[in-house]
Amino acid sequence: MIKKILLKTVQWLPILLVAITAVIRPAWAEATPESNAIAIDTVWTLIAAFLVFFMQAGFAMVETGFTRAKNAANIMMKNLMDFSVGSIAYWAVGFGIMFGTSVLGLFGKNGFFLSTANPATSEGLWQFTYWIFQTVFAATAATIVSGAMAERTKFNAYLAYSVCITAVIYPVVGHWIWGGGWLAAKGMIDFAGSTVVHSVGGWAALAGAIMLGPRLGKYNKDGSSNAIPGHNIPLAALGVFILWFGWFGFNPGSTTSGTNLSIAIIAVTTNLAAAAGAIMGMSVAWIRFGKPDTSMALNGALAGLVAITAPCANVSPLSAIIIGAIGGTLVVLSVEFIDKVLHIDDPVGAVSVHGICGAWGTLAAGLFAESAYGGIDGLFFGGGLGQFIVQLIGVASVFIWVFGTATILFGIIKVIMGLRVTPDEELKGLDIGEHGMESYSGFQIFTTE
Amino acid sequence: MIKKILLKTVQWLPILLVAITAVIRPAWAEATPESNAIAIDTVWTLIAAFLVFFMQAGFAMVETGFTRAKNAANIMMKNLMDFSVGSIAYWAVGFGIMFGTSVLGLFGKNGFFLSTANPATSEGLWQFTYWIFQTVFAATAATIVSGAMAERTKFNAYLAYSVCITAVIYPVVGHWIWGGGWLAAKGMIDFAGSTVVHSVGGWAALAGAIMLGPRLGKYNKDGSSNAIPGHNIPLAALGVFILWFGWFGFNPGSTTSGTNLSIAIIAVTTNLAAAAGAIMGMSVAWIRFGKPDTSMALNGALAGLVAITAPCANVSPLSAIIIGAIGGTLVVLSVEFIDKVLHIDDPVGAVSVHGICGAWGTLAAGLFAESAYGGIDGLFFGGGLGQFIVQLIGVASVFIWVFGTATILFGIIKVIMGLRVTPDEELKGLDIGEHGMESYSGFQIFTTE
Amino acid sequence: MIKKILLKTVQWLPILLVAITAVIRPAWAEATPESNAIAIDTVWTLIAAFLVFFMQAGFAMVETGFTRAKNAANIMMKNLMDFSVGSIAYWAVGFGIMFGTSVLGLFGKNGFFLSTANPATSEGLWQFTYWIFQTVFAATAATIVSGAMAERTKFNAYLAYSVCITAVIYPVVGHWIWGGGWLAAKGMIDFAGSTVVHSVGGWAALAGAIMLGPRLGKYNKDGSSNAIPGHNIPLAALGVFILWFGWFGFNPGSTTSGTNLSIAIIAVTTNLAAAAGAIMGMSVAWIRFGKPDTSMALNGALAGLVAITAPCANVSPLSAIIIGAIGGTLVVLSVEFIDKVLHIDDPVGAVSVHGICGAWGTLAAGLFAESAYGGIDGLFFGGGLGQFIVQLIGVASVFIWVFGTATILFGIIKVIMGLRVTPDEELKGLDIGEHGMESYSGFQIFTTE
């Protein structure tokens, strides 16, 4: 029945013959409630996917804004290419590993190259919709890594690990939690991917930053740390606004259904958590550094967004504010800790924003979930410790898998092709060294800084 | 009946178990025409809200592009934080004042903290949808003020008045016109907020610019005015494109209904008014200054958009062009008048764009309204003076309320915490003074300019 | 019947009286499957139009990023004004020529000034929807020309030819292929406009670049070419991301129907072609120049997008990858050929990206079309040479029409008002010469470069 409706609906709109006097439209008279509901869900999911795609621009602007002018073209190139090679890799391999028929709950084994998507069937058309939505998520995980490894990574090494993350490391986690794997079976809550997307990116970023070592001039012999200021704060801020905008596709879009009216609640919780994160990022920085640093407020907003991503469909507006506020607090403390105590050089704070706050948000789902919103009660709402423990198992397992495999991956790349540019190239900038160009031709720039 | 349908529809999509071989989707077979119509309206309103949110990025880019490099991080911070504190303030207080049960048509008295939004009911879900849409509007009013007070306002003073505008000053006007208040009862037309949003922002900006006084070096002893050129015209232009893009959510989205097909007409009138505004902004500047100034063309586009915001659903395409063209003319003359005659320093022309053109657009609704579009005839289409007088009363009342309360507010802030940074800080830039950072590290910039 | 439903649906939502205690919404209970299907198609088409509008920002950023700082305000002005004058011109003239009742299959003869769009009928409302969608397409064709003629064209000449392209040159082609004209009658495939939009822009750009001549200092006496690097690669990259984002409105939106589920397939083919184009742009540049140039990868992505625009609804994902990859290859070779062999100075590669790859994509539809996707088989899928020959006729005819009329147009403008600024103005920059301003006030810039 649904098949029949679909087939009718999918008949090609003879747009080539359209004229004012006889505008030919789809056969509206043949529409049914079922066919309309399918169309609403498809339209919603596609538009959400487009918004999430646009987040690539946001990540690119944030990363370049927070780093130096001499590496801006390299950063643009990385962000363009991780999405491009990622799209192809996820089409060929990743989607099948993530959503194919499960092998022991660990990974999928079919559906590669979109081979099971038949354009003549309802199921096939839905797979195309679902694929584009999942592709933009996969690319998000990959692009997070870029920021932590900025200003010193060889470009060909970057391409190599981008493919591996999108094709294998990310889809395995996706299978566990979203693809019917072993964590899904345990009932883990990660609605839009605090863990699946953000922590995966964050933990891979951590492995990468450690394997690379800090940028030249970052740490002094006495162990103290030098701030290396970003070259374009308006671009970084634009990037955060774009990311916040795109997150309205990321979280509400993860229903993959516009007929599921919880999209409204998710938009509200997402927005309030981001706002609270920005306020706390600003406030904590104000208290610790004496002035409200713009970068920390921007990272606070992202922290709130990352934190609410897992529980966005399961918590009340007030809980969303608390979760976001704690995210905004955590990110400032974490950036300081990773920089000044651990001496790991993460130029844009990617590990703190995506790894730490992704883990926090995932755990928060076990604490703040309320059945009135998503049908599950967490620890603070009478649901006991069970859900929290499941969340904890999820967070820990994903850390072990991602940090482990990423470390091995970066190790292999280091041996085979080298991971880091030469000190001379790093000083002159990767724009010239890796790409033979400069980003701001005509401007007077202090390139030795 | 509707409740029952909703409850069914809102059942959680068991996305965690999704796999290619058995993609589980919402129960499409259970959809009804009613449930689909609700979904279409919800999807449309949410997407419109996302577009309006993105206007925050547009305002940030316009404001920073038209001002100096030494204040760019401060401007980013203001635009990020007015949305963030505004979201929380509007959730806690503003939404209730605007849409709560009316007290004498003056303000609402309940619905604070989204306390009346029950996620299990149709009405509750619609309130979540409506809240996110209204929140992005409230934040727009607040952010307009930022531009007129740029480059000299203390950051903590900015935070304080942002909260007050979003929590009280704006929602009271909103209640009068959109919340069932006394101007709504008179039948005032302000479809998407030329007055509710833009004039409120513009008149508060006027009060703020007067209370602050001009930037150092803006006016000479002989009363002549110095142009202080913006530091990044491409960013300002990007901001205008983003605002135009977002306005397609602002105006057509204000139906809060995708099943209301007037959204198509509103998109057309909005676009034509903006185009006409840009053309006239350019042309008038060309005539007056001898060359077509890019800033004036950009402001002309915004003027056209602001002007069409009130009448967008009530006028023909040709009327929209006339309304936008007059807006684009007015903005150039107004910017000159406010600067050179009144000697009020409004760095980005916010008072002219949003205050003056907001008032013009609101009055224009009383002149150009045609019943074929929105059911009401204005003065030029046989409707008599009645509607125009209602519009005039609305414009005047809102000016008195906003300019009055904003002046008092800024006065109180001036006494308690001070409104303006020190001259030394102003010269060095607010980025360093207020936030301890610079926006364009590594670039050679003439910071004394 | 449909009319009746529409009339009911279009009743004005009494939003002015909305209050929390009694949120008045459209009469959902009166919705029918037909009215919902119409609403879904309207919402989809409008949102797609908004995304395509946003591409104007993308074109502006790409063009300014790839050219010099001294012309940035001029480029912003051109991009703002071509859309503005284009919107008015297309409303007054273009739409009627494109979609009016056909005269011998060559052009339309009525529907000017949206005069046939009655807001009280179903057909009229659809015309408003269709007009805004077509307007943003028309403006895209006009704005492409801007890039090839950058940094040396007089602003008033630019305005003049923008109007002519949007009002006449583009709509005639549009009528041939999309408006029921002679190429539509032959069954030419150009789903979203590789030829209608992109080649039209590209061939007009070619004529313009030839008529203008190269920028001062571009070619040496020995015939060798100097690279003139762009001044802001992050902005150019942002522009490409915005364009890619907007293309999701351009291609899937060209169904003008959200109930036509092929939108999902089109989103997939569009994305994969862009990714493949970027990868090949990068790879070919890497091979030819020794380093992976960021500009070429960015242009490669655009090349893939332009190429897939015609066949996006008719080919498989794998074919899309091949089509995009060939596009990305062609663009690098074409940019080199046009610059180094033909000595035509096209600062941003507009002729190669839009003209050459537009032609390639249109031909590719005749080769790679598969009936499983769009009902037609191309040469490689057993459909014979027929479709390919139709595509070839279309490509050739459009080239002759556009290149011919554009050459005449530029010739007339040259005689009447002059096409090119003075050498002195070109050296100082068009920002000062044409607009009396600078784009980056306060920054140290080498303006003689």
Side-chain angles (χ1 to χ4, degrees):
Chain A
M1 178 61 188
I2 289 189
K3 269 194 200 178
K4 200 175 149 197
I5 291 156
L6 253 291
L7 283 167
K8 276 187 187 169
T9 314
V10 183
Q11 290 165 36
W12 278 98
L13 167 74
I15 193 170
L16 299 180
L17 300 170
V18 162
I20 276 185
T21 44
V23 179
I24 295 161
R25 283 157 312 201
W28 288 331
E30 295 178 20
T32 65
E34 287 92 337
S35 73
N36 281 334
I38 294 170
I40 294 167
D41 287 355
T42 302
V43 164
W44 170 256
T45 304
L46 289 179
I47 292 171
F50 306 160
L51 289 174
V52 177
F53 165 79
F54 194 42
M55 291 172 71
Q56 294 289 323
F59 281 110
M61 295 302 116
V62 169
E63 184 178 346
T64 199
F66 284 157
T67 54
R68 287 166 293 181
K70 65 185 176 182
N71 298 312
N74 172 255
I75 288 170
M76 292 302 112
M77 191 69 167
K78 289 193 303 176
N79 279 274
L80 179 74
M81 296 316 302
D82 62 34
F83 187 79
S84 297
V85 301
S87 286
I88 306 287
Y90 194 72
W91 166 72
V93 181
F95 189 65
I97 290 182
M98 193 151 160
F99 293 105
T101 309
S102 192
V103 176
L104 303 171
L106 295 174
F107 57 88
K109 66 175 183 187
N110 56 2
F112 304 108
F113 301 98
L114 269 175
S115 56
T116 54
N118 182 347
T121 65
S122 164
E123 284 74 20
L125 286 164
W126 183 251
Q127 274 187 50
F128 282 103
T129 306
Y130 204 66
W131 182 85
I132 188 80
F133 189 75
Q134 291 299 334
T135 297
V136 293
F137 272 63
T140 302
T143 208
I144 288 165
V145 184
S146 175
M149 298 176 69
E151 307 203 284
R152 59 208 193 278
T153 305
K154 285 178 74 170
F155 179 65
N156 56 4
Y158 183 79
L159 288 181
Y161 78 69
S162 273
V163 169
C164 296
I165 289 172
T166 325
V168 181
I169 295 178
Y170 166 80
V172 166
V173 174
H175 184 79
W176 293 357
I177 302 175
W178 289 348
W182 68 278
L183 284 167
K186 287 190 183 300
M188 180 176 173
I189 301 173
D190 187 11
F191 189 75
S194 287
T195 283
V196 173
V197 180
H198 293 283
S199 283
V200 165
W203 305 143
L206 178 64
I210 293 172
M211 295 292 281
L212 269 175
R215 288 168 293 176
L216 295 176
K218 176 63 188 168
Y219 296 109
N220 303 316
K221 286 191 179 164
D222 65 357
S224 61
S225 167
N226 301 310
I228 299 179
H231 84 283
N232 201 327
I233 301 303
L235 272 199
L238 175 62
V240 169
F241 281 116
I242 292 174
L243 287 170
W244 193 326
F245 176 51
W247 234 289
F248 286 121
F250 208 93
N251 286 5
S254 285
T255 57
T256 63
S257 165
T259 54
N260 177 340
L261 299 188
S262 57
I263 53 179
I265 299 172
I266 300 171
V268 171
T269 54
T270 299
N271 192 62
L272 286 173
I279 292 170
M280 287 311 292
M282 172 188 77
S283 303
V284 176
W286 208 332
I287 292 166
R288 291 195 64 79
F289 314 136
K291 289 192 176 181
D293 183 83
T294 303
S295 319
M296 283 302 176
L298 293 168
N299 267 335
L302 298 182
L305 287 162
V306 169
I308 200 63
T309 298
C312 60
N314 293 70
V315 300
S316 71
L318 180 60
S319 295
I321 290 173
I322 297 167
I323 292 167
I326 293 174
T329 305
L330 272 178
V331 79
V332 180
L333 304 178
S334 172
V335 162
E336 266 198 282
F337 183 77
I338 288 175
D339 179 16
K340 295 189 180 158
V341 179
L342 297 185
H343 284 190
I344 297 169
D345 183 16
D346 175 1
V348 306
V351 177
S352 302
V353 169
H354 301 278
I356 301 296
C357 292
W360 156 241
T362 309
L363 298 175
L367 302 173
F368 291 90
E370 269 177 84
S371 54
Y373 291 88
I376 295 167
D377 277 319
L379 183 61
F380 296 166
F381 292 89
L385 258 174
Q387 189 66 44
F388 183 76
I389 290 168
V390 169
Q391 303 297 108
L392 198 62
I393 293 170
V395 167
S397 313
V398 170
F399 177 82
I400 293 167
W401 163 255
V402 176
F403 189 77
T405 53
T407 302
I408 294 167
L409 170 65
F410 290 124
I412 292 170
I413 289 173
K414 204 167 183 174
V415 170
I416 293 178
M417 55 171 61
L419 202 52
R420 185 163 180 154
V421 301
T422 64
D424 183 56
E425 180 177 338
E426 189 176 336
L427 287 174
K428 284 184 184 153
L430 276 67
D431 287 4
I432 288 180
E434 296 291 284
H435 308 288
M437 62 193 300
E438 32 176 2
S439 291
Y440 296 102
S441 178
F443 285 89
Q444 173 77 32
I445 295 174
F446 306 108
T447 48
T448 55
E449 188 176 2
Chain B
M1 176 62 186
I2 290 187
K3 269 192 200 179
K4 200 176 147 197
I5 290 154
L6 252 289
L7 283 169
K8 274 187 189 168
T9 316
V10 183
Q11 290 165 35
W12 279 97
L13 168 75
I15 193 172
L16 301 180
L17 300 169
V18 162
I20 277 184
T21 44
V23 180
I24 296 162
R25 283 158 313 201
W28 288 331
E30 295 177 21
T32 66
E34 288 92 337
S35 73
N36 281 333
I38 294 171
I40 293 167
D41 287 356
T42 302
V43 164
W44 170 256
T45 304
L46 289 179
I47 292 170
F50 306 160
L51 289 173
V52 177
F53 165 79
F54 194 41
M55 291 173 70
Q56 294 289 324
F59 282 110
M61 295 302 116
V62 168
E63 184 179 347
T64 199
F66 283 157
T67 54
R68 288 166 293 181
K70 63 185 176 182
N71 300 312
N74 172 254
I75 289 169
M76 292 304 113
M77 191 67 166
K78 289 194 303 176
N79 279 275
L80 178 74
M81 295 317 301
D82 62 33
F83 186 79
S84 297
V85 300
S87 287
I88 305 287
Y90 195 72
W91 166 73
V93 181
F95 188 65
I97 290 182
M98 191 152 163
F99 293 105
T101 309
S102 192
V103 176
L104 304 171
L106 295 173
F107 56 89
K109 67 176 183 186
N110 56 3
F112 305 109
F113 301 98
L114 269 175
S115 55
T116 54
N118 180 347
T121 66
S122 165
E123 285 73 21
L125 286 164
W126 183 252
Q127 274 188 49
F128 282 103
T129 306
Y130 204 65
W131 181 85
I132 189 80
F133 189 74
Q134 292 299 336
T135 296
V136 292
F137 273 62
T140 302
T143 209
I144 288 166
V145 184
S146 174
M149 298 176 69
E151 307 203 285
R152 58 210 193 279
T153 306
K154 284 178 76 169
F155 178 65
N156 56 4
Y158 183 78
L159 288 182
Y161 77 69
S162 275
V163 169
C164 296
I165 290 173
T166 326
V168 181
I169 296 177
Y170 166 82
V172 166
V173 174
H175 185 78
W176 293 357
I177 302 176
W178 289 348
W182 69 278
L183 285 167
K186 288 192 183 299
M188 179 176 174
I189 301 173
D190 187 11
F191 188 74
S194 286
T195 283
V196 174
V197 180
H198 294 282
S199 283
V200 165
W203 304 143
L206 178 63
I210 292 172
M211 295 291 282
L212 266 176
R215 289 168 291 175
L216 295 177
K218 175 64 189 167
Y219 296 109
N220 303 318
K221 287 190 179 165
D222 65 358
S224 63
S225 168
N226 301 309
I228 299 179
H231 84 282
N232 201 326
I233 301 304
L235 271 198
L238 175 61
V240 170
F241 281 117
I242 291 173
L243 287 170
W244 192 327
F245 175 52
W247 233 289
F248 286 121
F250 208 93
N251 286 4
S254 285
T255 58
T256 62
S257 166
T259 54
N260 178 340
L261 299 188
S262 56
I263 54 178
I265 299 173
I266 300 171
V268 171
T269 54
T270 299
N271 192 62
L272 286 173
I279 292 170
M280 287 310 292
M282 173 188 77
S283 304
V284 176
W286 208 331
I287 292 165
R288 290 195 65 78
F289 313 134
K291 290 195 174 178
D293 183 82
T294 304
S295 318
M296 284 301 177
L298 293 168
N299 267 335
L302 297 183
L305 288 162
V306 170
I308 199 62
T309 297
C312 60
N314 292 71
V315 301
S316 72
L318 180 59
S319 295
I321 290 173
I322 296 168
I323 292 167
I326 293 174
T329 305
L330 273 179
V331 78
V332 180
L333 304 178
S334 172
V335 161
E336 265 198 283
F337 183 78
I338 288 174
D339 180 15
K340 295 189 182 158
V341 179
L342 298 184
H343 284 191
I344 297 168
D345 182 16
D346 175 1
V348 306
V351 177
S352 302
V353 169
H354 300 279
I356 302 296
C357 292
W360 156 242
T362 307
L363 297 175
L367 303 173
F368 292 90
E370 269 177 84
S371 55
Y373 291 88
I376 296 167
D377 277 318
L379 182 63
F380 296 166
F381 291 89
L385 258 174
Q387 188 67 43
F388 182 76
I389 289 168
V390 169
Q391 302 297 107
L392 199 60
I393 293 170
V395 166
S397 315
V398 170
F399 176 82
I400 293 167
W401 162 256
V402 175
F403 189 76
T405 53
T407 302
I408 295 167
L409 170 65
F410 290 125
I412 293 170
I413 290 174
K414 205 167 181 172
V415 171
I416 294 179
M417 56 171 59
L419 203 51
R420 186 162 178 153
V421 301
T422 65
D424 182 57
E425 180 177 336
E426 190 175 336
L427 288 174
K428 285 184 183 152
L430 277 66
D431 288 5
I432 288 179
E434 296 290 284
H435 308 287
M437 61 192 302
E438 34 176 1
S439 290
Y440 296 103
S441 178
F443 284 90
Q444 174 78 33
I445 296 175
F446 306 109
T447 48
T448 56
E449 188 176 2
Chain C
M1 176 64 186
I2 289 188
K3 269 193 201 176
K4 201 176 148 197
I5 290 156
L6 253 289
L7 284 168
K8 275 189 190 169
T9 314
V10 184
Q11 290 163 35
W12 280 97
L13 167 72
I15 193 172
L16 301 182
L17 299 169
V18 161
I20 276 185
T21 44
V23 180
I24 295 161
R25 282 158 312 201
W28 288 331
E30 295 177 20
T32 66
E34 288 90 337
S35 72
N36 281 333
I38 294 171
I40 294 167
D41 286 356
T42 302
V43 164
W44 171 254
T45 305
L46 289 178
I47 291 171
F50 306 160
L51 289 174
V52 177
F53 165 78
F54 194 42
M55 291 172 71
Q56 294 288 325
F59 281 110
M61 296 301 116
V62 168
E63 184 179 346
T64 199
F66 283 158
T67 53
R68 287 166 294 182
K70 64 185 177 183
N71 300 313
N74 172 254
I75 289 171
M76 292 303 112
M77 191 68 167
K78 289 194 302 176
N79 279 275
L80 179 74
M81 295 317 301
D82 63 33
F83 186 79
S84 296
V85 301
S87 286
I88 306 288
Y90 194 72
W91 167 72
V93 182
F95 188 65
I97 290 182
M98 192 150 161
F99 293 105
T101 309
S102 192
V103 176
L104 303 172
L106 295 174
F107 56 90
K109 67 176 182 186
N110 55 3
F112 304 108
F113 301 98
L114 269 176
S115 55
T116 55
N118 181 347
T121 66
S122 164
E123 284 73 20
L125 286 165
W126 183 251
Q127 274 187 51
F128 282 102
T129 306
Y130 204 65
W131 181 85
I132 189 81
F133 190 75
Q134 292 299 335
T135 297
V136 292
F137 273 63
T140 301
T143 209
I144 288 165
V145 184
S146 174
M149 299 176 69
E151 307 203 285
R152 58 208 193 278
T153 304
K154 283 178 76 170
F155 179 65
N156 55 5
Y158 182 79
L159 287 182
Y161 77 70
S162 273
V163 169
C164 297
I165 289 174
T166 325
V168 182
I169 297 178
Y170 166 82
V172 167
V173 175
H175 185 78
W176 294 357
I177 302 176
W178 289 348
W182 69 277
L183 284 167
K186 287 193 183 298
M188 180 175 171
I189 300 173
D190 188 10
F191 188 75
S194 286
T195 283
V196 173
V197 180
H198 294 282
S199 282
V200 165
W203 304 144
L206 178 63
I210 292 172
M211 295 292 282
L212 267 176
R215 288 168 292 176
L216 294 176
K218 175 65 187 167
Y219 296 109
N220 303 319
K221 289 189 177 165
D222 65 357
S224 61
S225 167
N226 301 310
I228 299 180
H231 85 281
N232 201 327
I233 301 304
L235 271 198
L238 175 61
V240 170
F241 281 115
I242 291 174
L243 287 169
W244 192 327
F245 176 52
W247 233 289
F248 286 120
F250 208 93
N251 287 5
S254 285
T255 56
T256 63
S257 165
T259 54
N260 177 339
L261 299 189
S262 56
I263 53 179
I265 298 172
I266 300 170
V268 171
T269 54
T270 299
N271 192 62
L272 286 173
I279 292 170
M280 287 310 293
M282 172 188 78
S283 303
V284 176
W286 207 332
I287 292 165
R288 290 195 65 78
F289 313 134
K291 289 193 176 178
D293 182 84
T294 303
S295 318
M296 284 301 177
L298 292 168
N299 268 335
L302 297 182
L305 287 162
V306 169
I308 199 63
T309 297
C312 60
N314 293 71
V315 300
S316 72
L318 181 58
S319 296
I321 290 173
I322 296 168
I323 292 167
I326 293 174
T329 305
L330 273 177
V331 79
V332 180
L333 303 178
S334 172
V335 162
E336 266 199 284
F337 183 78
I338 289 175
D339 178 17
K340 295 189 181 158
V341 179
L342 299 184
H343 283 190
I344 297 168
D345 183 15
D346 175 2
V348 305
V351 177
S352 302
V353 169
H354 300 279
I356 301 296
C357 291
W360 156 241
T362 308
L363 298 175
L367 302 173
F368 291 90
E370 268 177 85
S371 55
Y373 291 88
I376 297 166
D377 276 318
L379 183 62
F380 297 166
F381 291 90
L385 258 174
Q387 188 65 44
F388 182 78
I389 290 168
V390 169
Q391 303 297 108
L392 199 59
I393 293 170
V395 167
S397 315
V398 170
F399 176 83
I400 292 167
W401 162 254
V402 175
F403 189 77
T405 53
T407 302
I408 294 167
L409 170 66
F410 289 124
I412 293 171
I413 289 173
K414 205 167 183 172
V415 171
I416 293 178
M417 54 169 63
L419 203 52
R420 185 163 180 153
V421 301
T422 64
D424 183 56
E425 181 177 337
E426 190 176 337
L427 287 174
K428 284 186 184 150
L430 277 68
D431 287 4
I432 288 178
E434 296 290 284
H435 308 287
M437 61 192 301
E438 33 176 1
S439 290
Y440 296 102
S441 178
F443 284 89
Q444 173 77 32
I445 296 174
F446 306 109
T447 48
T448 55
E449 188 175 2

